[in-house]
């Protein structure tokens, strides 16, 4: 495939946009080469500026669960835009989508809409701190909760050390209130609570990690987190920006039968438009202004175009009793095919999958946290990525990102992908 036009556009973009992109992973720094510039998309396919068609396995990093340009969402946005694009005032749409979301997700009474997953997680942490009157939080190394200062923290050297800033611009004062734990290590978490008694407001976690590749929770881990939070008066926050309305109608809470105290949403809940949300039981949510002392606001929160898109997406998922079963079956079919062809070609690999999230790690050992994820062979991944790209298959341009499956994929698309992986494997 030729990418002459994309290369030209990247040169032009680099003159006026830092790195030529508005989100770093798009720059292809993890895999080398020039990013692809998309012209349009439909269903399971991307069409780039050079006229190439690509089968899409990132789907805007998750929200296109029913495919690109999903007609009910597009129509809703178009019709709403004709009546105004932003008001900064309440609309009935906000109540409609709130009611639907609350009805679909376990253990939440109220929800507040914001503009991104980053904003949702940032607000959830502030709410947890205000509600518990404590300052410290626990996050897990390798989990990404957006680029808010509290979350850009690297792991310390011991079980109970403070975090240190992982990005210039994040102060040590902010970092000291973020404690780092290893994903899937409950003893690590318990040690942090013991070393910081009555100081920890909340644990925030991706119940299925997606930013170190797809990494499931080991059996009993989420249950143990729930127990340790309850025992210590801390809140359990599920960052379901990726998993919410994707792994099940009620997200990871429903899938794993675990009740979180606060849940963060993004991706699917916006139907492809910039939407985030956080939700909890009434007594927690009532701590938010204007009812309570914890301030959170946003001029574009509840934007009518975004609410229209999100409402149509949730209505479609709520009405289709088999959509999550189909997604599970398609992803399992893809996993089986990948395992077969990589094994036949003698490639060293591990596959992790939960529902319609899946990733291939080029390491023979189990991948269950950030440390084990980093053991993968990145040189092999780079060749794998570009081998698929030249054959018309687009996966995330990073070894540390999950793939997202869309229901718009046909089994012919999946077979094409498996064949492309087989051909690529022969070149690794």
């Amino acid at each position: 495939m030729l990418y002459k036009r994309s290369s030209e556009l990247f040169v032009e973009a680099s003159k006026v946009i830092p790195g030529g992109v508005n989100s770093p992973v798009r720059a292809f720094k993890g895999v080398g080469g020039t990013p692809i510039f998309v012209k349009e998309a439909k269903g399971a396919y991307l069409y780039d500026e050079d006229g190439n068609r690509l089968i899409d396995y990132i789907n805007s990093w998750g929200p296109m669960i029913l495919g690109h340009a999903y007609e009910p969402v597009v129509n809703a946005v178009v019709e709403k835009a004709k009546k105004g694009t932003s008001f900064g005032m309440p609309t009935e749409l906000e109540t409609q989508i709130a009611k639907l979301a609350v009805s679909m997700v376990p253990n939440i009474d109220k929800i507040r809409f914001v503009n991104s997953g980053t904003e949702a997680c940032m607000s959830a942490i502030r709410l947890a701190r205000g509600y518990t009157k404590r300052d410290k939080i626990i996050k897990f190394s390798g989990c990404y909760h957006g680029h808010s200062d509290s979350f850009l923290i690297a792991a310390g050297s011991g079980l109970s050390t403070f975090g240190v800033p992982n990005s210039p611009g994040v102060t040590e004062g902010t970092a000291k209130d973020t404690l780092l734990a290893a994903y899937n290590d409950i003893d690590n978490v318990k040690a942090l609570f013991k070393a910081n008694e009555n100081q920890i407001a909340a644990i925030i976690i991706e119940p299925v990690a997606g930013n170190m590749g797809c990494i499931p929770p080991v059996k009993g881990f989420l249950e143990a987190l729930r127990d340790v939070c309850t025992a210590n008066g801390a809140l359990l926050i599920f960052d379901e920006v990726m998993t919410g309305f994707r792994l099940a109608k009620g997200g990871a809470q429903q899938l794993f039968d675990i009740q979180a105290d606060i849940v963060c949403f993004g991706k699917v809940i916006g139907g492809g438009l910039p939407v985030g949300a956080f939700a909890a039981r009434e007594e927690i949510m009532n701590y938010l202004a204007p009812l309570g002392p914890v301030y959170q606001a946003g001029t574009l929160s509840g934007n009518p175009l975004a609410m229209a898109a999100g409402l149509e997406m949730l209505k479609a998922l709520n009405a289709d009793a088999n959509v999550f079963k189909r997604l599970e079956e398609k992803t399992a079919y893809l996993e089986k095919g990948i395992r077969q062809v990589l094994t036949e070609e003698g490639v060293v690999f591990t596959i992790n999958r939960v529902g319609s999230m899946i990733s291939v790690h080029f390491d023979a050992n189990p991948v269950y946290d950030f440390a084990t994820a980093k053991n993968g062979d990145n040189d092999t991944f780079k060749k794998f990525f570009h081998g698929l790209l030249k054959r018309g298959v687009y996966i995330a341009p990073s070894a540390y990102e999950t793939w997202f499956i869309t229901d718009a994929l046909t089994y012919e698309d999946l077979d094409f992908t498996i064949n492309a992986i087989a051909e690529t494997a022969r070149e690794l």
Side-chain angles (χ1 to χ4, degrees), residues 41-351:
K42 180 65 178 177
Y45 312 120
L46 301 169
Y47 300 88
D48 70 15
E49 289 285 353
D50 288 278
N52 301 307
R53 191 194 82 165
L54 302 168
I55 299 177
D56 186 13
Y57 284 95
I58 66 166
N59 288 285
S60 191
W61 306 95
M64 303 307 179
I65 192 168
L66 300 179
H68 291 282
Y70 180 62
E71 192 169 340
V73 168
V74 172
N75 291 342
V77 171
V78 169
E79 290 306 309
K80 187 56 62 177
K82 293 176 182 177
K83 299 177 181 180
T85 57
S86 182
F87 310 122
M89 298 170 66
T91 65
E92 185 181 7
L93 263 179
E94 294 165 80
T95 305
Q96 291 173 341
I97 189 173
K99 284 182 176 179
L100 182 54
V102 167
S103 74
M104 294 172 70
V105 178
N107 200 42
I108 64 172
D109 299 319
K110 292 183 177 181
I111 187 168
R112 178 163 285 181
F113 289 93
V114 292
N115 299 293
S116 68
T118 292
E119 193 178 342
C121 292
M122 175 185 73
S123 302
I125 286 296
R126 183 183 304 157
L127 177 58
R129 285 172 165 154
Y131 182 78
T132 62
K133 299 177 176 59
R134 299 174 178 179
D135 293 336
K136 296 179 181 178
I137 63 168
I138 293 175
K139 74 172 291 288
F140 293 89
S141 183
C143 282
Y144 180 72
H145 307 292
H147 61 271
S148 176
D149 285 3
S150 294
F151 302 132
L152 295 181
I153 309 299
S157 59
L159 292 180
S160 59
T161 57
F162 292 124
V164 296
N166 197 32
S167 171
V170 179
T171 67
E172 290 187 9
T174 297
K176 73 179 179 61
D177 287 327
T178 300
L179 307 173
L180 265 291
Y183 198 83
N184 279 324
D185 187 343
I186 191 60
D187 290 334
N188 191 176
V189 175
K190 289 178 178 178
L192 289 172
F193 271 97
K194 185 175 181 180
N196 298 273
E197 191 172 356
N198 298 322
Q199 297 179 64
I200 297 172
I203 293 173
I204 185 167
I205 187 171
E206 294 177 273
V208 175
N211 287 284
M212 39 185 159
C214 176
I215 298 185
V218 297
K219 186 175 181 180
F221 180 61
L222 297 180
E223 291 86 346
L225 292 181
R226 175 67 276 170
D227 290 343
V228 77
C229 282
T230 301
N232 288 277
L235 300 185
L236 178 60
I237 303 173
F238 272 8
D239 174 354
E240 294 219 46
V241 169
M242 288 187 179
T243 60
F245 308 104
R246 169 167 283 279
L247 297 186
K249 186 186 295 187
Q253 283 196 104
Q254 177 185 335
L255 183 67
F256 296 111
D257 192 24
I258 304 291
Q259 291 192 337
D261 295 301
I262 305 177
V263 189
C264 302
F265 299 106
K267 312 291 188 188
V268 174
I269 202 173
L273 272 70
V275 182
F278 59 106
R281 300 185 307 276
E282 185 171 14
E283 64 267 25
I284 297 175
M285 293 301 283
N286 285 352
Y287 257 70
L288 285 173
L291 293 178
V294 176
Y295 193 73
Q296 182 277 326
T299 299
L300 293 177
S301 296
N303 174 270
L305 303 188
M307 295 294 93
L311 180 60
E312 288 303 317
M313 182 61 71
L314 294 193
K315 284 166 62 177
L317 296 174
N318 193 48
D320 189 341
N322 295 315
V323 62
F324 297 103
K325 181 174 182 288
R326 291 197 304 273
L327 284 162
E328 167 81 25
E329 290 172 348
K330 288 179 180 181
T331 315
Y333 182 90
L334 179 64
E335 178 188 5
K336 181 180 178 181
I338 296 173
R339 285 188 183 279
Q340 181 176 335
V341 297
L342 292 184
T343 300
E344 288 174 353
E345 297 301 327
V347 177
V348 174
F349 71 97
T350 293
I351 296 179

